Amino acid sequence: MRKAFLFFCAFCSLLSQAQQTLDLTGSWDFSVGDTARYDEYVMLPGSMLTNGKGDPVTVNTRWTGSLYDSSYYFNPYMEKYRVEGQMKFPFFLTPEHHYVGKAWYKKDIYVPQSWERQHITLFLERPHIETTVFVNGQRVGHQLSLSTPHQYDVSDLIRPGMRNTIEVCVYNGIDNVGVGQDSHSVTDQTQGNWNGITGRMELRVQPRKLYIKQVRITPYPFKGYVNLKVVLGGEVNPLYTLDVMGVTVQQDKENAYAFMMSYDLRGKTMSVDVPVGTEVALWDEFHPQLYRLGIGVGDDYYETTFGMREIKAEGRQLYINGRPLFLRGTVENCCFPETGYPPTDEESWTRILAKVKEYGLNHVRFHSYCPPEAAFVAADKLGIYLQPEGPSWPNHGVKLRRGQVIDQYLLDESKRIVDTYGHHPSFVMMAAGNEPAGDWVAYCNDWVREMKRYDPTRLYCGASVGGGWAWDDGSEYHVKGGARGLDWDRNAPHADDDYYDQILRPRNYRDTTDNNTPVIAHEQGQWCAFPDFKEIPQYTGVYKARNFEIFRDLLRDHGMASQAEKFLMASGKLQTLCYKYEIERNLRTRDYGGFQLLGLNDYSGQGTALEGVLNVHWQEKGYTTADEWREFCSPVVALARFPKFVYTTADTLVVPIEAYNAVYGDVINVRTSYYIYDDSMKVYAGGVLSLKDLPLGKNIPIGTVRFPLDSISRPCKLTLHVTMAGELKNHWDFWVYPNESTDVQFVNTQIHIADTLDAEALQVLEKGGKVLLTAAGKVRLGSDVVQHYLPVFWNTSWFKMRPPHTTGAYIDKTHPLFKYDFPTDDWGNLNWWELLNKAQVMNLMEFPKDYQSPIQPIDTWHVSRKLGMLVEASVLKGKLLMTTMDVSSDLEHRVVARQMRRAILSYMESDDFHPSTVLHPQVITDLFTKQGPQVNMFTNESPDELKPKVK
């Protein structure tokens, strides 16, 4: 105990000798243009935008980023949003100002006399993009890192004991870095192409005679030591020693281990192996244990933290500290609406990464950018595995190995990232960037080899790519699309499949033998929900959600303002369901390394991609919670292999149950039980499935749920609920319908059934009769709207109206139709697949403005046409119900359609059927004969995902 006390005294003593600094934050003189006039001022850290500077946004603003949908500039509806001073963009969030060019920042600061003959550094944590520095009128130098601090040696130009003038010219054009206009490090699609300086801004002083320039930390956890490569500046004197001291930062402070060693200096670059004890405190997601390290030489001192961890790839498996590692990740897209740039404080990143962990994730990929130091610090403490990337999306005019500046810049920047953040244990993986073009495989293979040589303590992937990209055979692991998604546009929903074949033979994989490297699903999900207009007031900073305001206006102008919240909740429930079943499919795939969602929170650019269950501010939208999400996304998950979700009373439910265990070892003596219940919480069956240990890994068999369904007396939704260890749970809805003929009781019905409003149907209506029009596949007004069961992917603006166009359906379950033995939620749950998938919709543009269909597909928010799949009205003297659901064909096998037909006929026979809406027959006829207004998406270029596939 005394030894530890003495160590901490020595540690604190050296800490007091750490670098002195002068804070440069505050007011700076400001000017724009090629030469400085300094007639304004700004507050730094910050940007021109946070200071209200720049050019007004107009239709002529030259954005940094691709605008694939140029219809905004031609569509007469959008004219009111193209007025200067009232600009609103549908592509991304709208700032008040925009500026690309040179901006000048100047500050006078008194430097104390005590800094005479010292080593002085100007430290600028995150400028954007290039800086040129002048001190007292003399040019110091130029730097252009997008990812790491700009640091300048100003020792010879600072005048101690006097006031000194520091000038920084910041240029935010992307021509000299060449990373690509859609790279999240620079584009207006995400953070915005801002001009300014954020984070720490300071002058730092060190002893000029001998100082520490750089420290590289390489842990060897299973050898019990850490290698330190220390680069010194100044004069090396044999009388000096290099003192190294450290302590573990553990939850159990009583067991913290302290060490202190001294080494004779042997030159300006020293490599020393420092033992850290026999019981090494390892770092991982479950044990984020850190070492605090201090290095003293002469009067200079350096301090940081690091972790003892080892990450490897062997075969198709990732390993952390010798045990299998399974990644459950999300993509962080650099969307920060309040400021327009990523935060540099630890508190902000702790909030974001804690939310990531709250939702059962353990991994974050940073799309085509590298976050500031604070993100790594927060991830170290929380236990989150990070994949930063080179700040490049070398596509859309930029290509690798085509003689452009990106080739050398990307390699240099990648090394700067490792030099600056490489000591953080959370920094386990790295990619060169996103979805490149050009001779990218050869370039990235060379990049991986060079980066592995430069720093072997992490894994390297050439690039994060979609399924259509070539196979980069030099990567240590692969972030690749292809083995993702659900096949429910072609097959009825089920949960007994996996991606194993696509892991063995990934798309565009050419080898004769199976792939034997780890694969992580690239940008998994991208299922969209309708905009949440309640989110608009949350934009209190420099970017406003005026894209949301456009979408709100479209909904209102098409008579659906009252549906906004209903559409949000209905589409959100479907979105969550799609994520659930896609994640579960990934978790039950043997040898799959994991996934990276795109994303847990919304993406505010590229046409507005509302693919998150959290909004862009990382806040809940109201249709799911972290507790619900963790049922299917956490270190231990119960999985059920449902062969289908719709049954009849002649079936027996047979569902194998298995477990996914991604904790740090076996889970001992786990009791797994199940029960089956309905919406009233009536329990139909239940019991114990097993009492056994769960080994670390996937596809752990638990048991099989068997339940004959012949005791179910009426159509109903049932839920299978599985609980493990009393706390971990998961559930799946399924439906049971009668195994009987459809129309037995309607043989003598007085309802006239037809597939078009022909003369006979009109005659029945004229006589006061009832008409059912089963118009599946017959309508024209609405035929341009392509509906799948699965929702919009990313968004229809970025993909120029690529199908599907709908994002789920709102079901008015209070409508009397559903009293007649058709149980439903207020959204298109899995039982609706048979009726919704690839079914026609009706465009209700000619219906009364306040009319809403009780079965209402939700159109893309970029158009918001009023749609319906069932309408009812008083026509002439009679009553009409029309549906585009197929309730006529193959009813022997389509049990949901059979039940819907029965419900419709029962409803039409009942006293409940008295439509209040009055329509002229022509409105119904127009549904069969008219064509909806054309939707044009003008474009000169296709997104990468729409380019020809690699052959």
Side-chain angles (χ1 to χ4, degrees), residues 917-931:
T917 299
V918 178
L919 294 179
H920 190 279
Q922 189 62 45
V923 175
I924 302 300
T925 299
D926 286 350
L927 291 172
F928 293 95
T929 59
K930 275 194 173 182
Q931 186 69 42

Side-chain angles (χ1 to χ4, degrees), residues 19-25 115 121-125 166 199-204:
Q19 292 178 343
Q20 300 177 51
T21 63
L22 285 178
D23 185 14
L24 299 178
T25 64
W115 285 28
T121 301
L122 172 64
F123 180 93
L124 305 173
E125 182 174 0
I166 297 173
R200 287 171 294 162
M201 304 173 61
E202 56 198 23
L203 289 174
R204 296 177 169 181

Side-chain angles (χ1 to χ4, degrees), residues 190-344:
T190 59
Q191 60 177 316
N193 187 8
W194 51 280
N195 187 304
I197 306 169
T198 66
R200 287 171 294 162
M201 304 173 61
E202 56 198 23
L203 289 174
R204 296 177 169 181
V205 64
Q206 295 171 276
R208 192 164 191 170
K209 190 172 185 180
L210 182 63
Y211 59 91
I212 299 168
K213 291 180 66 175
Q214 184 182 20
V215 177
R216 174 76 67 82
I217 303 171
T218 306
Y220 293 92
F222 296 104
K223 296 180 180 180
Y225 70 89
V226 59
N227 176 263
L228 304 178
K229 183 179 179 181
V230 183
V231 181
L232 302 172
E235 302 173 3
V236 176
N237 190 313
L239 298 178
Y240 287 116
T241 61
L242 182 73
D243 297 317
V244 182
M245 61 224 68
V247 61
T248 57
V249 184
Q250 297 172 270
Q251 293 180 352
D252 183 357
K253 295 296 192 294
E254 291 295 323
N255 294 328
Y257 173 77
F259 56 87
M260 185 169 185
M261 292 88 180
S262 294
Y263 303 85
D264 293 334
L265 293 186
R266 299 187 297 274
K268 287 196 173 182
T269 300
M270 288 190 63
S271 179
V272 298
D273 294 333
V274 180
V276 293
T278 56
E279 296 185 4
V280 174
L282 298 176
W283 183 95
D284 66 17
E285 64 186 282
F286 303 104
H287 313 94
Q289 301 179 124
L290 299 171
Y291 284 82
R292 186 172 297 281
L293 175 74
I295 297 175
V297 56
D299 292 329
D300 199 13
Y301 177 74
Y302 169 88
E303 180 190 0
T304 191
T305 58
F306 70 95
M308 298 295 283
R309 65 104 180 98
E310 178 186 79
I311 187 165
K312 288 185 176 180
E314 294 182 2
R316 291 187 288 271
Q317 183 64 60
L318 297 169
Y319 290 88
I320 185 80
N321 300 331
R323 67 167 182 81
L325 169 62
F326 304 99
L327 295 177
R328 301 177 308 281
T330 187
V331 178
E332 205 295 294
N333 286 300
C334 202
C335 299
F336 298 98
E338 300 314 300
T339 58
Y341 49 77
T344 56

